Structure formats: structure tokens, C-alpha cells
């Protein structure tokens, strides 16, 4: 097991997904408490992403065809196998191998470069996706914070089984949010969906990703009378398919 001092040296291997499971888990625990290593991992991932974007090139189809065609002309000897009368002398074989080696080396280099390019491109895409998700979460957190601290913020609470749901809204901001705490678990093919109650017509306002958490509702209040929660098929529905499990009026 790596010592605390050793863990600081694993940033590059971690960014490249090259750590064994035990070391990866130990490093992730260390990473949560070491801002310097966290920054270094981000820098390594950014470098890998740039490398992948610059170097990853699709392999030309004709390259594979040439390699596969050439395989048939390369003879293969078993270990210590005898030479027949058509086999060239050992000196000739060494010369042929020496002449052929650059071609094999080039092919191996191309294969390695393509493989590393694919890994780097994957790192680049994962980093971009993580950045987008992080930015979205930060924007939502900032908006939710503004909602909670608005001078005219109001709340309304309802229960569903042993769970609790609270809607918070601000007329001046025209926004509403939802806080869930220990709502009943749902099957994998079901999800909690939020709705604005527009005088009896339910307008989709977002899907609750977890049974405990927060959600900034999609769309403005726009004169809605309140918020409802229903259980819908995974992915949500354009209109409620069942009775609300919670109703919270804006009063």
C-alpha cells in the first residue's frame, strides 16, 4: 500500500486510469483532501485531452489492407525448427530481418499511436462532459441559492409516505424550486416528475433525479397556482399519468 508521501506522485497515473484498484481507491481518498493533487489531476487530464484532439487520426482503410495482404508472404518458424532446402542461410535471414524490422516497428508505432489517441480522445470527451455537468450544477446551485435568499421567498411542505417535499418560490424572481427528503424509493422504470399547476392544467417542470435532493424547476411560475408531484415512467411524461402524490399550493 502506498504511503501518504507516495500518493502525491500518483496524479499522472490516476489521470491515465493506470492505477490498480487498491491504489486507485486510496488515491481517491487522498484526492478529496489534497487540493494540490486535485489541480494536478485536472492539468494532466487537460493535457491528455489536448493530445488526443491533436494526434488522434482514423486509420486509413488501405493500411489495414496492406498489412493483411503482407501477412501471407511472411514465413513463420517454430522454435528450433529445422530448415528445409529452400530456407536461406542464417546470414541471409538476419539481413532480411534487419531490412524488415523498420516496417514492423513502423506498424507497431502506428498501432500504439492509434490506441493512445483513442484513449486520449476518450479522456477529452469525458473531461468535456464532466466540465459541462459541473458548470450546470454550479449554475443551478447559484440559482437555487438566489431563490432561497430572495426577500419574498416562501415555502410550502407536503408529505409522501415517510418522505417530505418542500417547494420554495419567489414571485419577484418568477422561479420555484423543490427540496426532497427521503421520498419513497421507486422501481428503476419510474421517476418523480414535478409539475406547475396552471389552474388545473399540469405543466412539466422537471424530473427529480434522487429521492433526497433539490431541483430548480424548469420554466417560470407564470401565474401557476402551485406545484404537484407524480410518479411517471422513466424519462417523464408530457402529461400526468396518475394522481399526484403531493400537491403544494402557492399560498
Amino acid at each position: 500500500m502506498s504511503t501518504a508521501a507516495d500518493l502525491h506522485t500518483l496524479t499522472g497515473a490516476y489521470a491515465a486510469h493506470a492505477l490498480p484498484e487498491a491504489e486507485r481507491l486510496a488515491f481517491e481518498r487522498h484526492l478529496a483532501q489534497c487540493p494540490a493533487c486535485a489541480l494536478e489531476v485536472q492539468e494532466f487530464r487537460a493535457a491528455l485531452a489536448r493530445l488526443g484532439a491533436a494526434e488522434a487520426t482514423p486509420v486509413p482503410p488501405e493500411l489495414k489492407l496492406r498489412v493483411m495482404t503482407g501477412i501471407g508472404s511472411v514465413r513463420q518458424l517454430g522454435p528450433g525448427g529445422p530448415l528445409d532446402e529452400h530456407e536461406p542461410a542464417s546470414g541471409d535471414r538476419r539481413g532480411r530481418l534487419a531490412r524488415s524490422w523498420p516496417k514492423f516497428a513502423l506498424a507497431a508505432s502506428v498501432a500504439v499511436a492509434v490506441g493512445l489517441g483513442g484513449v486520449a480522445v476518450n479522456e477529452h470527451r469525458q473531461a468535456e462532459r464532466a466540465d459541462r455537468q459541473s458548470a450546470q450544477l454550479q449554475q443551478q446551485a447559484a440559482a437555487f441559492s438566489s431563490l432561497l435568499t430572495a426577500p419574498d421567498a416562501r415555502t410550502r411542505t407536503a408529505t409522501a409516505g415517510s418522505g417530505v417535499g418542500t417547494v420554495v418560490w419567489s414571485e419577484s424572481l418568477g422561479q420555484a424550486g423543490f427540496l426532497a427528503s427521503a421520498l419513497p424509493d421507486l422501481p428503476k422504470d419510474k421517476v418523480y416528475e414535478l409539475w406547475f399547476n396552471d389552474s388545473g392544467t399540469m405543466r412539466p417542470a422537471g424530473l427529480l433525479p434522487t429521492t433526497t435532493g433539490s431541483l430548480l424547476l424548469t420554466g417560470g411560475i407564470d401565474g401557476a397556482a402551485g406545484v404537484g408531484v407524480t410518479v411517471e415512467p422513466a424519462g417523464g411524461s408530457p402529461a400526468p399519468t396518475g394522481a399526484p402524490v403531493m400537491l403544494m399550493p402557492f399560498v
Side-chain angles (χ1 to χ4, degrees):
M1 181 64 66
S2 300
T3 65
D6 293 335
L7 290 172
H8 292 288
T9 68
L10 300 181
T11 52
Y14 177 78
H17 302 290
L19 291 179
E21 181 69 9
E23 282 194 284
R24 181 184 67 80
L25 294 174
F27 182 77
E28 287 180 345
R29 289 193 293 270
H30 165 76
L31 195 62
Q33 302 174 1
C34 182
C37 283
L39 177 60
E40 195 167 321
V41 167
Q42 290 179 357
E43 292 172 345
F44 271 119
R45 284 177 170 168
L48 284 171
R50 288 193 294 271
L51 175 64
E55 297 296 335
T57 303
V59 181
E62 60 270 17
L63 175 60
K64 180 178 179 181
L65 179 61
R66 289 201 301 271
V67 172
M68 298 305 293
T69 301
I71 286 175
S73 63
V74 178
R75 300 189 62 187
Q76 197 168 12
L77 277 177
L83 301 177
D84 62 30
E85 65 273 16
H86 302 295
E87 189 68 35
S90 60
D92 292 339
R93 291 201 309 277
R94 285 194 294 271
R96 181 179 298 176
L97 286 172
R99 289 189 298 272
S100 301
W101 174 247
K103 298 179 182 178
F104 287 112
L106 176 60
S109 298
V110 170
V112 170
V114 170
L116 290 177
V119 170
V121 167
N122 187 51
E123 286 282 351
H124 177 67
R125 290 172 179 167
Q126 288 182 354
E128 283 188 334
R129 184 163 54 247
D131 287 344
R132 286 195 299 269
Q133 291 174 345
S134 176
Q136 290 172 355
L137 288 174
Q138 289 177 1
Q139 289 174 359
Q140 185 170 106
F144 214 105
S145 177
S146 297
L147 177 62
L148 290 171
T149 56
D152 62 338
R154 302 179 63 186
T155 63
R156 185 82 174 193
T157 298
T159 59
S162 59
V164 177
T166 300
V167 64
V168 53
W169 75 97
S170 164
E171 294 289 350
S172 63
L173 296 177
Q175 286 185 327
F178 183 74
L179 301 167
S181 176
L183 297 182
D185 291 332
L186 296 176
K188 291 183 178 180
D189 61 344
K190 298 292 183 181
V191 67
Y192 287 108
E193 186 163 3
L194 280 293
W195 309 86
F196 281 114
N197 179 7
D198 294 334
S199 300
T201 300
M202 305 304 278
R203 170 166 44 102
L207 305 178
L208 191 64
T210 60
T211 57
T212 296
S214 63
L215 177 70
L216 189 68
L217 300 192
T218 302
I221 292 177
D222 296 334
V227 166
V229 182
T230 62
V231 175
E232 302 296 333
S237 303
T241 60
V245 295
M246 282 189 284
L247 283 174
M248 292 152 285
F250 289 155
V251 293

